[in-house]
Amino acid sequence: VAKCQGPHSDFLCGEFRESCKAVGPSSFGVQLWQRAVAFFAPNRSYRRIEYSHFDEAACEEGNAWIEIVHEGVWQQNGGSSAVLSASLASLTVTASSIRLLQERPCLTPVNILPPEQCFDAVGTLEAACPCNGTNWTSTDASAANISMDCASTEDCPIIHEAYLGKTRYFTYNSSEAQACFYGANTNQALAWFSPQDMICVDRLSYLSCIPSPLSTSSTALPMLWPVMLVGLTFAHGLRGIS
């Protein structure tokens, strides 16, 4: 944590990369992995790109099956009274988009599935996010803007309920080399006065936040929606598995 000590109001703007990590418990015999890149701008905007993979090797190779982009605004909320040399911030997601990178990704079994199981990602997304007939095929280079193409919660509940319009609060500290974040929470008291689960991420580029207040991070945003998509696939009787 010592590497993160510093004047946080100047050291968080820029681009950060999260290393590959397992996401949540294995579901239906499948362990998902994620990597992400986040950019925090001095004008209080932020952009985060998340990639989901079905095993660690695919994650390290950059062989993702789906991409989601979150955009939003941040606010710096002063120093932390609970963590020495840390600061407080909040983040609201205002737009999200999804792009399917593989139409039939293959699942890497953890314990109960036979090898080489693949599933119909297009059909799964059509069921999870109808979005007014959005074309989810990976040949369509454009991404569906959930906040625009899926106007109602019913059009894409996985994204609406987990991300859009939600304000998350968190504790962090930062330096020229990296930034460290405690888990974000929609409960302000838990996030600011009882922060848990700190992770640190490396900086790819640096921008001065001065004279703007410090940007926040989406690092601790939940990445459980791919797990929910896989669960939906299996809940529909392994539809499309071959």
Side-chain angles (χ1 to χ4, degrees):
V1 180
K3 292 176 65 178
C4 286
Q5 306 292 338
H8 306 158
S9 60
D10 189 33
F11 282 140
L12 194 55
C13 290
E15 189 173 23
F16 295 87
R17 176 180 55 208
E18 294 180 35
S19 300
C20 289
K21 64 179 180 181
V23 180
S26 59
S27 301
F28 305 98
V30 177
Q31 177 66 70
L32 295 180
W33 288 74
Q34 78 159 27
R35 61 186 174 88
V37 175
F39 180 75
F40 313 123
N43 67 355
R44 299 191 182 188
S45 66
Y46 100 99
R47 189 170 191 262
R48 171 182 171 84
I49 307 174
E50 299 172 338
Y51 302 93
S52 182
H53 315 74
F54 282 120
D55 60 70
E56 185 176 9
C59 190
E60 296 294 348
E61 293 169 1
N63 185 25
W65 68 279
I66 198 167
E67 170 195 278
I68 184 168
V69 178
H70 296 300
E71 295 179 317
V73 294
W74 52 260
Q75 181 174 332
Q76 204 273 340
N77 298 100
S80 170
S81 61
V83 179
L84 182 65
S85 299
S87 296
L88 307 175
S90 56
L91 169 70
T92 302
V93 174
T94 58
S96 295
S97 61
I98 295 175
R99 185 163 66 98
L100 190 63
L101 304 178
Q102 297 184 43
E103 294 182 18
R104 295 191 64 81
C106 296
L107 315 180
T108 300
V110 175
N111 47 35
I112 64 173
L113 290 179
E116 302 303 325
Q117 291 285 344
C118 302
F119 81 96
D120 178 10
V122 176
T124 298
L125 273 178
E126 287 175 347
C129 296
C131 294
N132 297 312
T134 293
N135 179 11
W136 289 114
T137 60
S138 58
T139 55
D140 185 358
S142 62
N145 187 320
I146 303 305
S147 53
M148 295 179 62
D149 300 335
C150 313
S152 69
T153 299
E154 292 73 19
D155 281 333
C156 194
I158 290 176
I159 298 299
H160 274 278
E161 294 174 5
Y163 297 96
L164 288 176
K166 301 292 191 301
T167 297
R168 289 177 172 82
Y169 306 90
F170 59 92
T171 300
Y172 67 90
N173 53 33
S174 60
S175 72
E176 291 182 342
Q178 64 177 190
C180 300
F181 305 97
Y182 291 83
N185 200 305
T186 54
N187 185 311
Q188 183 185 92
L190 290 177
W192 286 357
F193 302 108
S194 300
Q196 304 290 328
D197 304 323
M198 186 186 74
I199 64 170
C200 296
V201 296
D202 293 331
R203 182 189 295 278
L204 296 179
S205 65
Y206 169 75
L207 289 174
S208 174
C209 289
I210 296 177
S212 298
L214 175 63
S215 71
T216 78
S217 166
S218 62
T219 300
L221 283 176
M223 183 57 180
L224 296 180
W225 64 272
V227 178
M228 297 168 67
L229 286 179
V230 173
L232 178 63
T233 299
F234 283 88
H236 280 81
L238 301 179
R239 182 171 69 87
I241 294 289
S242 64

